[in-house]
């Protein structure tokens, strides 16, 4: 089966789906919103990320210009190479700023915690142990009360 034939079948099946039993066009939505897997970045983190991308792109353009000026033996090559080195340091700092800003945001505003399955299993085991200890404590107190009641009756 050729790709065009498959496309023709897909188009025909979509058209048949859109037209109902009455012959009227189905009122399906043209645009369907799907939930996003990841949440949006916080505003300060997004700002730092945009700043870092702009600085990194300017650094790359500057480095490319330095290479081209060096190949043409222009007098601008040396100052441009020096500024490219400085710009690389600034770009590295900007990327670190994104990371630090993200960490600070997570610490100040909290993060949705999704414990791993191992942590969940350990928590279950601890809960079971606490329940059995409480049950044993209750049973021991009942036995003590019964024996105290029997001694007082006698």
């Amino acid at each position: 089966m050729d790709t065009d034939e498959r496309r023709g079948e897909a188009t025909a099946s979509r058209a048949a789906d859109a037209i109902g039993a009455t012959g009227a066009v189905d009122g399906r939505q043209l645009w369907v919103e799907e939930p996003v897997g990841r949440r949006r970045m916080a505003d300060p983190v997004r700002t730092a990320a945009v700043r870092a991308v702009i600085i990194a792109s300017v650094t790359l353009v500057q480095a490319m210009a330095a290479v081209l000026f060096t190949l043409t033996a222009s007098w601008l090559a040396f100052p441009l190479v020096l500024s490219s080195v400085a710009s690389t340091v600034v770009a590295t700092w900007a990327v670190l700023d994104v990371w630090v800003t993200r960490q600070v945001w997570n610490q100040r505003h909290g993060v949705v915690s999704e414990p791993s399955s191992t942590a969940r299993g350990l928590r279950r085991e601890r809960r079971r142990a606490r329940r059995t200890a409480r049950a044993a404590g209750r049973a021991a107190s009942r036995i003590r009360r019964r024996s105290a009641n029997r001694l007082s009756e006698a």
Side-chain angles (χ1 to χ4, degrees):
M1 182 181 268
D2 194 23
T3 307
D4 293 330
E5 291 172 359
R6 282 193 299 250
R7 282 190 187 135
E9 285 180 12
T11 308
S13 68
R14 272 192 233 122
D17 288 343
I19 299 174
T22 61
V25 177
D26 190 13
R28 288 188 297 171
Q29 289 182 344
L30 199 60
W31 184 272
V32 178
E33 295 250 355
E34 294 180 6
V36 179
R38 291 170 53 169
R39 291 186 312 172
R40 229 172 98 151
M41 274 193 284
D43 287 339
V45 179
R46 193 175 326 111
T47 304
V50 168
R51 189 182 322 121
V53 166
I54 290 171
I55 291 172
S57 61
V58 167
T59 301
L60 287 173
V61 168
Q62 198 173 11
M64 194 65 211
V67 167
L68 292 176
F69 279 138
T70 303
L71 289 176
T72 59
S74 173
W75 65 273
L76 285 172
F78 182 67
L80 209 54
V81 166
L82 287 179
S83 66
S84 292
V85 170
S87 193
T88 303
V89 172
V90 172
T92 305
W93 187 269
V95 171
L96 281 174
D97 180 48
V98 173
W99 183 66
V100 168
T101 306
R102 185 173 163 269
Q103 295 297 325
V104 168
W105 175 266
N106 287 341
Q107 282 183 355
R108 285 187 183 160
H109 298 90
V111 188
V112 177
S113 177
E114 297 176 7
S116 66
S117 58
T118 54
R120 206 173 287 129
L122 289 172
R123 219 171 38 237
R124 278 189 198 124
E125 287 176 22
R126 275 188 253 129
R127 256 189 253 130
R128 273 191 216 117
R130 270 187 269 144
R131 274 191 218 123
T132 54
R134 270 187 271 149
R138 283 193 300 263
S141 68
R142 269 190 238 128
I143 292 171
R144 274 188 243 123
R145 273 187 269 145
R146 282 186 197 157
S147 62
N149 288 341
R150 286 187 188 146
L151 289 175
S152 64
E153 290 174 5

